[in-house]
Amino acid sequence: HVQLVESGGGSVQAGGSLRLSCTAYGDNYNFNCMGWFRQAPGKEREGVAAVHTGGSSTYYGDAVKGRFTISQEKSNNTVYLTMNNAQPEDTAMYYCAVVTYCRGESCCRLSELNRYSFWARGTQVTVS
């Protein structure tokens, strides 16, 4: 059984910053990739950022490169998404997700959506 616990969502003014966190729980699971995805009303889910937990490779969506940073605390299976210079177009429900059955770094790519087998409930981010 895997549980993903998110925190940190909320409202921020344009140009401001926000940090999301996600901790993964689950005995006998290897959380090889941890990532963030988002979905705005009427739009498809898109990849925001991901990290290969066994190494240091990170992946970012084009819309957030240079503004968002993903980081991790390996000891407690936690990832953070630091959102700097947030813009109204960043408004969306943000979901943390993990890959457990694929170990290579390429498994963490944001395009490999189907490899992310466990998803959190989501946390709302609103930028105005």
Side-chain angles (χ1 to χ4, degrees):
H1 176 67
V2 173
Q3 184 181 17
L4 302 177
V5 179
E6 298 172 319
S7 65
S11 298
V12 64
Q13 291 187 339
S17 298
L18 204 62
R19 191 174 82 156
L20 309 181
S21 67
C22 173
T23 301
Y25 299 93
D27 293 337
N28 302 318
Y29 282 92
N30 292 313
F31 303 112
N32 302 313
C33 310
M34 296 186 72
W36 291 95
F37 297 81
R38 68 186 183 185
Q39 189 166 17
K43 295 187 177 181
E44 293 185 354
R45 188 168 296 189
E46 66 170 337
V48 177
V51 60
H52 182 241
T53 60
S56 59
S57 295
T58 55
Y59 302 87
Y60 292 94
D62 290 340
V64 306
K65 284 180 182 177
R67 299 188 298 121
F68 291 10
T69 301
I70 190 168
S71 58
Q72 62 172 325
E73 284 186 21
K74 296 181 181 181
S75 61
N76 61 0
N77 294 326
T78 298
V79 290
Y80 302 96
L81 182 69
T82 302
M83 306 167 58
N84 292 324
N85 190 23
Q87 298 299 313
E89 52 266 34
D90 296 320
T91 296
M93 187 71 78
Y94 283 70
Y95 299 91
C96 173
V98 297
V99 173
T100 59
Y101 294 108
C102 181
R103 296 193 174 187
E105 291 184 356
S106 62
C107 303
C108 305
R109 292 173 182 164
L110 298 172
S111 58
E112 301 287 342
L113 198 69
N114 291 334
R115 296 195 184 276
Y116 286 83
S117 49
F118 296 96
W119 293 77
R121 293 185 176 182
T123 185
Q124 178 68 37
V125 171
T126 302
V127 185
S128 59

